[in-house]
Amino acid sequence: MPKSKFKKFATVKKIISPSDPRLSSAQEKLERQKKRQAERLAPVEAPKVQSTMFFSHNEALGPPYRIIVDTNFINHSIQRKLDLVQSMMDCLLAKCTPCISDCVLAELEKLGPKYRIALRIAKDPRFERIHCMHKGTYADDCICNIVAKDPVYIVATNDRDLKRRLRKIPGVPIMYIGGRTARRYNIERLPEALGAPRT
Ligand code: ZN
């Protein structure tokens, strides 16, 4: 074989056009590998556990109880002619302070004149106001955020979906009105929040 012919063959073999598919796929593979590695090394966001929940029970919870109420709970109480503060104290045998967030109040205001009694109750001076600093006014989200961040409250609601969401947050007892004819409040998860074993 003549020498010049061999040389030419070798040069041709060495050069790969930049648009060669083999080249781009190799580069893609390298990028994918880099990305996977970065994902592996990225810090995992661990769920934040409140310091009061360090022990098996919620140390921040105890009388006088602060109880966040939602729109639905106020309305159910009115229908059953239950005085909110008195019924809370009858249920827990301790001093109770109902709390209402800006979002819940806004929700009541939006419901219109039919709910003016509920609104009047919510504006009772015995109620403690929780001022909202967050975006949006969806009351269920608002309540869940408050207790997840700061589990020092009991939540009073008769809303099934909200109750379900609250059960996923540790240390948050739920106050509710059971049954259609019930004339008193009940409490769920309070012994558990105070350290009793789950039943
Ligand atoms: Zn809010």
Side-chain angles (χ1 to χ4, degrees), residues 101-103 132 134 136 142 146:
S101 82
D102 287 344
C103 293
C132 296
H134 59 84
C142 176
I146 293 170

Side-chain angles (χ1 to χ4, degrees), residues 10 35 37 53 62 66-67 73 78 84 92 103 107 109-110 112 124 128 133 141 154 160 164 174 179 192:
K35 204 176 153 194
Q37 200 167 21
M53 294 303 298
R66 290 160 85 200
I67 306 170
F73 192 82
I78 295 168
L84 225 89
L92 294 171
C103 293
E107 197 178 75
E109 270 163 1
K110 256 186 270 171
D124 187 299
E128 189 185 302
M133 309 295 268
D141 287 346
I154 291 172
R160 203 192 311 158
R164 200 177 295 144
I174 301 165
E192 196 186 304

Side-chain angles (χ1 to χ4, degrees), residues 12 14-28:
V12 168
K14 250 188 189 168
I15 300 163
I16 298 177
S17 121
S19 60
D20 190 291
R22 283 174 298 174
L23 202 66
S24 67
S25 80
Q27 202 155 18
E28 267 171 28

Side-chain angles (χ1 to χ4, degrees), residues 48-108:
K48 287 188 184 73
V49 175
Q50 287 296 320
S51 56
T52 52
M53 294 303 298
F54 183 76
F55 301 101
S56 59
H57 62 283
N58 189 350
E59 287 216 307
L61 210 68
Y65 294 105
R66 290 160 85 200
I67 306 170
I68 299 178
V69 293
D70 77 341
T71 311
N72 160 297
F73 192 82
I74 299 174
N75 288 333
H76 275 266
S77 300
I78 295 168
Q79 277 165 23
R80 291 171 167 86
K81 300 184 171 61
L82 290 169
D83 178 81
L84 225 89
V85 182
Q86 189 55 50
S87 304
M88 282 175 173
M89 293 203 273
D90 289 347
C91 174
L92 294 171
L93 304 172
K95 186 175 161 40
C96 298
T97 309
C99 303
I100 192 155
S101 82
D102 287 344
C103 293
V104 176
L105 207 66
E107 197 178 75
L108 273 174

Side-chain angles (χ1 to χ4, degrees), residues 32-45:
R32 267 204 306 273
Q33 262 172 0
K34 267 191 199 161
K35 204 176 153 194
R36 263 206 300 272
Q37 200 167 21
E39 273 167 12
R40 257 207 307 275
L41 293 174
V44 177
E45 187 95 15

